[in-house]
Amino acid sequence: MVFEGAIFSSASFDKADFSPKVLTCIDRSGMIDRVISVDEPDYKSVKQTAENLNILHPIPKGSYLLPGFIDLHVHAPQWLQAGLALDKPLYEWLQNYTFPLEAKYQDLDFAKKSYTSLVNELLANGTTTVLYFGSIHTDANLVLADICAQAGQRAFIGKVAMDNPEQTPDFYRDSSSKESLEQTELFIQRLFDLQKKISAELTPVITPRFVPSCTDETLAGLGQLAAKYNLPIQSHCSESIWEDNYATERFNLRDAEVLDKFHLLTDKSVMAHGTQLSDSDLDLFNERNTAIAHCPISNVYFGNSVLPVKHTHEKNVEIGMGTDISGGFSPSIYRNIQQAVMSSQILQDSGEADARISATNAFYLATVGGAKALHVKTGQIKAGYKADFQIVTDQYSELMSNEPQDVFERLIYHTTKSEINEVYVSGKKVINRGENHGRK
């Protein structure tokens, strides 16, 4: 396929590139082969060849090709409570709402219905790659994997490990550390089998829910499994004042230090939230090449602070964007980009110098930052990268300024799923506007 039209793509933390007319050429493996500008000598001949082969895809005037978004933090079983009980304290929200809902996913029919809705909603919002927390149920997590594969979404999925009886309810926890580790390994093996069988982009992830939910034996075993299978790791780290204090009281260590003690901070780790991380924690993250999933909407409700994105970036810690469904109510990365900018202004107004970030900075997090965190060559429109795209319409193009920076910011602040016309993952069309089901 060859796309012809305008593109926006992040070049760096501080710069988004705009090209008004290019050919973006996709090879049969779903990779970007070339991006040809209109002034290159073979532009016309490549376009003509694409027309002759009926593989030219003109992008309409007023629409733009953008990279697909990467969501680094989604609690898949929480989708059905998105927006509910967000006025409650974190502990109450977990115990009275979240854990009872997640326990229902032992019913695989229930899981299939919920996960089908979630995956399609994320794709429709331009999210092509997701790092998912599943539930404690191995079979339900495999249902999620199969739905992602059928819909065409690239998915990193973890079976949640949680076995500490002091912090988890008896109706929703692994019965022992032995069961937790055995089921985690079983899930890893079965997901590898599924991936080979259907050649989908699926990756198992080691997933301790967070330090309070796990016994020492489970934390240690999960670190060993991550090393054994060379897998990504995801958890929460310094999400709130309560979580931070819990780690200190139980281990006499910072939350990050506890995770590191059990070999859970690696160059394949993504830790969510981090609103309470200290400079020494950030130095440890930098040393381990561990990334942060910034969840700005959720942090407003449960984070007790604002993640200092610019400071964290200057400490050379990679950051991506996460919705944190359902601590975050919206499945839209656009909505979280907006909140990231707003929250940074609040941080600056509270006295932190030079804390404000721009739409360009947040766009980097949603694309390049997330791709680097997951070690996937995507998030940019350039040769050698996966063809993960969204085609987005500027609904005000005939009314407002069409200067590139103005268009870019307008897309960031006004795009909803109604303006996302098509979505592609590895060159395969997975969403057409007005159609709410999977791969086409």
Side-chain angles (χ1 to χ4, degrees):
M1 184 177 293
V2 176
F3 294 87
E4 182 185 36
I7 65 173
F8 283 103
S9 182
S10 182
S12 68
F13 184 71
D14 293 308
K15 186 175 186 292
D17 281 340
F18 171 69
S19 300
K21 191 174 184 181
V22 297
L23 297 176
T24 304
C25 306
I26 315 306
D27 68 21
R28 292 183 182 276
S29 68
M31 303 294 289
I32 301 171
D33 181 56
R34 292 182 66 190
V35 180
I36 307 171
S37 64
V38 72
D39 55 356
E40 290 187 54
D42 60 346
Y43 183 96
K44 289 183 178 180
S45 63
V46 172
K47 177 181 176 179
Q48 186 62 56
T49 300
E51 285 181 324
N52 295 343
L53 295 173
N54 198 29
I55 59 170
L56 184 69
H57 191 318
I59 298 169
K61 182 181 178 182
S63 294
Y64 299 86
L65 190 70
L66 275 64
F69 287 148
I70 295 103
D71 191 332
L72 289 183
H73 194 53
V74 172
H75 288 271
Q78 294 178 20
W79 170 231
L80 300 184
Q81 68 173 24
L84 302 184
L86 292 176
D87 59 329
K88 306 297 183 184
L90 177 61
Y91 186 83
E92 182 180 342
W93 180 80
L94 286 171
Q95 298 293 332
N96 296 342
Y97 297 89
T98 303
F99 292 155
L101 173 59
E102 292 194 16
K104 294 180 180 180
Y105 284 78
Q106 61 186 326
D107 180 339
L108 299 188
D109 290 333
F110 177 86
K112 183 176 182 180
K113 184 176 181 179
S114 173
Y115 289 154
T116 299
S117 170
L118 171 63
V119 171
N120 288 328
E121 187 70 21
L122 289 168
L123 285 169
N125 276 280
T127 301
T128 50
T129 302
V130 182
L131 178 55
Y132 285 109
F133 271 61
S135 66
I136 66 172
H137 313 104
T138 297
D139 288 341
N141 296 325
L142 292 166
V143 168
L144 172 61
D146 187 62
I147 289 167
C148 290
Q150 294 302 318
Q153 187 179 69
R154 185 179 301 106
F156 294 72
I157 301 171
K159 177 255 180 254
V160 169
M162 44 189 290
D163 70 320
N164 181 4
E166 295 180 3
Q167 293 293 331
T168 56
D170 56 5
F171 63 83
Y172 186 62
R173 66 167 174 254
D174 297 315
S175 63
S176 65
S177 178
K178 182 175 183 290
E179 183 200 37
S180 186
L181 297 173
E182 286 179 349
Q183 286 298 310
T184 296
E185 188 159 24
L186 177 63
F187 172 70
I188 292 167
Q189 293 167 348
R190 289 180 64 184
L191 189 60
F192 278 146
D193 290 342
L194 179 64
Q195 195 275 336
K196 291 174 185 175
K197 180 180 178 182
I198 62 178
S199 299
E201 296 185 76
L202 303 170
T203 303
V205 183
I206 299 298
T207 308
R209 189 178 199 106
F210 63 165
V211 166
S213 292
C214 298
T215 61
D216 293 19
E217 184 181 354
T218 294
L219 291 170
L222 292 172
Q224 292 164 7
L225 284 174
K228 177 179 178 179
Y229 290 97
N230 190 27
L231 289 178
I233 302 166
Q234 63 178 341
S235 191
H236 304 78
C237 185
S238 292
E239 174 182 4
S240 64
I241 293 171
W242 173 81
E243 183 185 336
D244 231 26
N245 289 341
Y246 178 90
T248 302
E249 291 169 5
R250 177 172 155 191
F251 292 96
N252 198 30
L253 294 169
R254 299 275 303 156
D255 205 15
E257 293 172 327
V258 175
L259 292 163
D260 191 52
K261 171 184 176 180
F262 292 108
H263 307 290
L264 294 167
L265 291 188
T266 73
D267 62 353
K268 289 190 171 185
S269 296
V270 179
M271 296 294 147
H273 304 293
T275 59
Q276 307 299 317
L277 292 172
S278 66
D279 276 356
S280 64
D281 295 333
L282 293 174
D283 290 338
L284 179 58
F285 271 50
N286 178 27
E287 185 179 343
R288 299 289 184 258
N289 292 314
T290 293
I292 295 173
H294 180 33
C295 306
I297 293 179
S298 175
N299 290 346
V300 171
Y301 295 105
F302 298 128
N304 305 130
S305 187
V306 176
L307 177 73
V309 170
K310 187 173 286 189
H311 177 68
T312 302
H313 175 74
E314 290 168 352
K315 296 283 282 184
N316 296 313
V317 176
E318 198 60 65
I319 317 168
M321 194 71 73
T323 58
D324 191 26
I325 291 168
S326 68
F329 59 81
S330 174
S332 169
I333 288 288
Y334 285 100
R335 183 66 188 84
N336 280 272
I337 288 174
Q338 297 154 18
Q339 185 62 54
V341 177
M342 289 188 283
S343 292
S344 74
Q345 180 62 58
I346 293 171
L347 189 62
Q348 181 156 308
D349 290 344
S350 300
E352 177 150 336
D354 195 31
R356 186 171 184 172
I357 66 170
S358 66
T360 301
N361 301 148
F363 182 63
Y364 172 93
L365 268 57
T367 54
V368 178
K372 287 186 174 181
L374 294 176
H375 303 276
V376 180
K377 206 158 187 187
T378 187
Q380 292 175 281
I381 301 176
K382 59 193 295 187
Y385 282 66
K386 291 179 180 291
D388 298 345
F389 303 138
Q390 46 181 319
I391 297 178
V392 183
T393 294
D394 174 12
Q395 57 183 309
Y396 301 116
S397 62
E398 295 184 3
L399 179 66
M400 299 180 183
S401 163
N402 281 291
E403 288 299 314
Q405 185 62 26
D406 296 343
V407 173
F408 172 74
E409 293 188 7
R410 200 157 59 236
L411 291 176
I412 292 299
Y413 282 102
H414 290 288
T415 296
T416 69
K417 70 176 182 180
S418 296
E419 287 75 53
I420 301 172
N421 300 321
E422 298 174 27
V423 179
Y424 294 80
V425 181
S426 291
K428 295 182 175 68
K429 186 187 292 187
V430 296
I431 289 291
N432 270 337
R433 185 178 177 183
E435 295 178 345
N436 60 0
H437 46 91
R439 180 179 297 177
K440 304 292 172 277

